[in-house]
Amino acid sequence: MPSPVKPFEFLVQLAERSVKNAAGLPAQEEAVELWNGIGFMVAQTQFVAGMGSISEILHLPKFTAIPGVRNWILGVANVRGRLLPIMDLARYFGLTQTTAKTRDKRVLVVEQDDILSGFVVDGVLGMQYFTADSFKPGAERKLPTSMQPYVSGKYVKNEADWHVFDTYELIENDRFLDVSVR
């Protein structure tokens, strides 16, 4: 009859077998830094705005036209008790009107300090992720010159250009703030 195994010896043997049969740790791979933003279309061009710059995305709400303002100001809407100016980005930049249907248009709500703005875009393409090292600074010459000051660069994903749109730069522009037709 075999001699009984002592509990401590059994635990030592079990630990040795565990170490012998254990799989190695996975190789440590370098983490890829990502940048993300909200993708949208204006005049058949893809843009992306940083996640922190867009506070909300809405369907085009009912709005009231305001007399004596520039043609790119569509009006003002009451959104949960707050007055939201509704502005057409394509018109602001002097671009031809798109063929996007009203039901496809969306409003990007941007809040900066005390300024609340609603930018009408032709469509929202959802959250987009890009590797940080794929950023190319500067606006492309093929973009309309009216838009170039508000584009800080682009990301390329799946052979498509995503122009990085700076909503804060637009809101701080004197021309943007001067809405009245004198």
Side-chain angles (χ1 to χ4, degrees):
M1 176 173 201
S3 64
V5 178
K6 295 181 182 172
F8 182 74
E9 289 175 7
F10 177 74
L11 290 175
V12 170
Q13 291 172 1
L14 184 61
E16 288 172 352
R17 279 187 289 177
S18 295
V19 169
K20 180 181 167 187
N21 295 322
L25 292 173
Q28 187 173 1
E29 296 178 19
E30 197 170 309
V32 176
E33 185 181 349
L34 294 177
W35 183 89
N36 62 346
I38 300 294
F40 61 95
M41 297 283 293
V42 174
Q44 300 173 344
T45 304
Q46 291 182 149
F47 293 92
V48 64
M51 281 298 296
S53 66
I54 306 295
S55 61
E56 190 173 0
I57 300 169
L58 305 171
H59 287 275
L60 187 60
K62 291 182 181 179
F63 56 86
T64 302
I66 303 170
V69 296
R70 302 202 185 273
N71 71 341
W72 47 270
I73 303 286
L74 300 180
V76 65
N78 182 339
V79 177
R80 289 182 296 287
R82 294 175 70 184
L83 292 180
L84 176 68
I86 306 294
M87 303 157 197
D88 188 314
L89 278 184
R91 281 188 191 176
Y92 176 79
F93 292 117
L95 306 176
T96 57
Q97 288 303 309
T98 62
T99 57
K101 296 179 174 128
T102 302
R103 72 170 187 250
D104 295 332
K105 293 188 181 225
R106 296 292 182 267
V107 176
L108 303 177
V109 179
V110 176
E111 289 185 66
Q112 182 177 349
D113 299 326
D114 293 336
I115 300 174
L116 181 67
S117 304
F119 301 140
V120 176
V121 296
D122 296 332
V124 171
L125 305 171
M127 191 179 301
Q128 302 295 322
Y129 293 90
F130 307 93
T131 57
D133 62 355
S134 68
F135 180 73
K136 294 175 178 48
E140 286 189 355
R141 290 189 179 125
K142 70 180 181 180
L143 283 175
T145 55
S146 60
M147 293 187 97
Q148 289 180 10
Y150 310 103
V151 174
S152 60
K154 72 175 181 178
Y155 288 97
V156 178
K157 183 168 84 172
N158 300 331
E159 299 180 23
D161 292 342
W162 291 84
H163 304 281
V164 180
F165 189 82
D166 189 341
T167 58
Y168 296 140
E169 188 71 29
L170 176 61
I171 288 175
E172 291 177 355
N173 184 284
D174 290 338
R175 179 178 164 252
F176 177 80
L177 295 172
D178 182 19
V179 298
S180 79
V181 178
R182 293 181 190 151

